[in-house]
Amino acid sequence: MQKKYIVILIVVLLSFAVILLHNKKSAEKYITRDISKGTITQYVEASGTIKPINTIAVGTQVSGTVAKIYVDYNSQVKAGQLLAELDPSLFQANVDQSTAKLSNAQASLAKAQAALAYKKNNYQRYQHLYQKNYVSRDDVELARSNYLAAEADLAAARAEVSASQASLNNNLTNLGYSKITSPVDGTVISRAVDVGQTVAASFNTPTLFEVAKDLTQMQIETSVSEADIGKIKVGQKAEYTLDGYQDKIFEGTVTQVRLASTTTNNVVTYTVIVSVDNSDGFAIPGMSANVSIITGQVKDVLCVENKALKFTPSDNTQKYENQGIWIMTKTGPQRYDVELGLSDDNKTQIISDKIKEKDKVIVGSTGGKKNSKKTNSGMRRPPM
């Protein structure tokens, strides 16, 4: 009989053990992280192209054949330096012809001046003789007519001199245009002609060279979508990478937000200019740049992982209007309302007087009911 009671007691104890083991396995276990302070930075991503801030297109205002070229790609040039020459023979011939015409016009002017002086004296002499009744009135009128005609001839001769001088000046200018010079100090980044090539400037000015004024100061022309353009302001800092230096991060500054939009396949974008310091010479015109414009940043603030904002214990069915997080306390999980600040892809700033650094925030759980992954109903998602 005693042995029977012992067997029953063993069975009861085993049953209790099985129940306790089952409850232990089904209990919800919480995954926590220490709340810490850190830096959160928000970015607007964009892509663009490296370009010189000031690029001068050097062309020619006259047509002709390229006779000489004195520079090439990457040549350093000074303002006024000779870059190329067109064949000057035709321009020089026009100058010589204009010079001859001017000399002829000046000779005609001198002849007209002499004729005027003679006819003026003759007219005055006839007036004197007429007063003494030595000549008739008709003789005086004829002398006066010749004098006035001589004045007109002199005016015409002077006009001819002016026209010849203007023609000479024009041909001298064209002769000067046959020498292509750099308007600024800089670097030749493009050369579009070769010796022997004919350039025509009949309707527009052909570009022969492109000179970048200063390659130590560059800019990135980026395209930003209409959804993000409202976040961009002049003066914001930017970080960018170049495909040729993927392990290096460069810095720049937003200097211009252009109001003109571009629509491509129903996608509206705006051009944002990011100025960069290229003193080290890493950036080369035409390079592609991946730009991150910093639109917001906070330092040394309390942060939690973003998934902590979505966690709710599986046995909690209450709905909350405010955003909150669950902190593991000595008595178990406890919820605290928090205000959200800036957020990035991994963490979010929280603002609360009741939460401090090193508190254990619950970010997930294992075991428990199947609905342990539900989110707080009525709570907004963290800003991204």
Side-chain angles (χ1 to χ4, degrees):
M1 191 69 179
Q2 186 177 3
K3 186 182 291 185
K4 181 179 179 181
Y5 287 127
I6 294 174
V7 171
I8 294 174
L9 180 60
I10 292 174
V11 171
V12 172
L13 291 175
L14 288 175
S15 298
F16 274 112
V18 170
I19 293 172
L20 290 174
L21 181 62
H22 175 74
N23 289 338
K24 186 176 180 181
K25 287 184 178 179
S26 62
E28 187 173 8
K29 295 182 179 179
Y30 299 106
I31 303 171
T32 63
R33 297 283 188 271
D34 286 347
I35 294 180
S36 61
K37 289 187 176 182
T39 298
I40 297 179
T41 305
Q42 287 184 332
Y43 299 93
V44 168
E45 305 290 342
S47 60
T49 304
I50 296 285
K51 293 185 178 181
I53 292 179
N54 193 359
T55 301
I56 308 300
V58 181
T60 174
Q61 298 189 44
V62 294
S63 304
T65 302
V66 179
K68 296 178 182 179
I69 294 178
Y70 300 102
V71 295
D72 206 343
Y73 292 94
N74 304 332
S75 295
Q76 299 293 321
V77 297
K78 299 292 184 181
Q81 179 177 334
L82 190 62
L83 305 180
E85 285 188 75
L86 302 181
D87 184 358
S89 56
L90 292 178
F91 305 109
Q92 186 61 55
N94 290 335
V95 169
D96 294 341
Q97 184 178 14
S98 297
T99 302
K101 286 184 177 180
L102 176 61
S103 298
N104 184 60
Q106 289 172 336
S108 297
L109 175 61
K111 182 178 180 182
Q113 288 173 333
L116 176 62
Y118 169 76
K119 292 180 180 180
K120 179 180 180 180
N121 292 333
N122 189 55
Y123 172 55
Q124 292 175 345
R125 184 168 56 254
Y126 267 79
Q127 283 183 316
H128 181 68
L129 293 174
Y130 175 72
Q131 292 175 356
K132 296 182 178 182
N133 295 322
Y134 289 143
V135 294
S136 66
R137 181 65 182 176
D138 290 340
D139 293 334
V140 174
E141 291 298 330
L142 178 61
R144 180 177 180 275
S145 175
N146 291 336
Y147 168 58
L148 294 177
E151 282 188 331
D153 291 342
L154 179 61
R158 284 174 175 163
E160 184 64 27
V161 169
S162 297
S164 298
Q165 184 66 59
S167 178
L168 176 60
N169 292 342
N170 181 67
N171 289 324
L172 286 172
T173 300
N174 289 337
L175 178 61
Y177 285 153
S178 68
K179 298 180 184 294
I180 314 301
T181 59
S182 175
V184 294
D185 296 349
T187 304
V188 177
I189 61 174
S190 175
R191 177 173 67 85
V193 292
D194 292 305
V195 173
Q197 183 175 340
T198 299
V199 292
S202 301
F203 302 103
N204 55 13
T205 301
T207 299
L208 308 184
F209 304 93
E210 286 188 359
V211 178
K213 188 174 181 179
D214 184 6
L215 292 182
T216 63
Q217 299 297 322
M218 307 281 272
Q219 67 183 20
I220 308 174
E221 291 190 5
T222 65
S223 296
V224 177
S225 69
E226 61 178 327
D228 294 325
I229 194 63
K231 306 173 187 176
I232 308 299
K233 300 291 184 293
V234 172
Q236 290 175 336
K237 299 298 181 182
E239 297 176 348
Y240 68 96
T241 59
L242 302 174
D243 291 342
Y245 309 96
Q246 294 185 358
D247 58 341
K248 187 174 178 61
I249 297 178
F250 304 91
E251 295 182 349
T253 304
V254 175
T255 55
Q256 188 179 61
V257 180
R258 295 180 179 172
L259 300 180
S261 63
T262 301
T263 304
T264 305
N265 296 328
N266 294 325
V267 177
V268 180
T269 59
Y270 293 84
T271 298
V272 175
I273 303 299
V274 177
S275 295
V276 299
D277 183 5
N278 192 40
S279 300
D280 51 15
F282 284 110
I284 299 175
M287 274 187 166
S288 297
N290 300 310
V291 183
S292 299
I293 301 173
I294 301 174
T295 58
Q297 187 178 67
V298 288
K299 297 181 179 180
D300 196 31
V301 294
L302 292 177
C303 306
V304 297
E305 294 182 10
N306 289 335
K307 54 187 176 181
L309 303 174
K310 303 178 181 180
F311 174 77
T312 299
S314 61
D315 58 354
N316 185 287
T317 59
Q318 183 177 351
K319 295 183 178 181
Y320 303 96
E321 293 183 2
N322 300 324
Q323 177 67 59
I325 59 175
W326 290 84
I327 302 295
M328 179 59 73
T329 67
K330 293 180 180 180
T331 59
Q334 184 174 347
R335 187 182 184 279
Y336 292 90
D337 288 345
V338 295
E339 182 181 348
L340 301 184
L342 294 186
S343 176
D344 59 21
D345 292 338
N346 301 313
K347 57 187 182 295
T348 298
Q349 174 193 5
I350 60 170
I351 303 170
S352 173
D353 295 335
K354 298 180 180 180
I355 297 175
K356 59 184 181 301
E357 195 173 3
K358 300 298 184 181
D359 282 347
K360 303 290 186 180
V361 62
I362 302 175
V363 298
S365 65
T366 60
K369 298 180 181 179
K370 293 183 180 181
N371 63 343
S372 61
K373 292 185 179 180
K374 68 180 180 179
T375 61
N376 292 337
S377 177
M379 294 187 299
R380 66 187 180 93
R381 294 176 176 267
M384 299 298 292

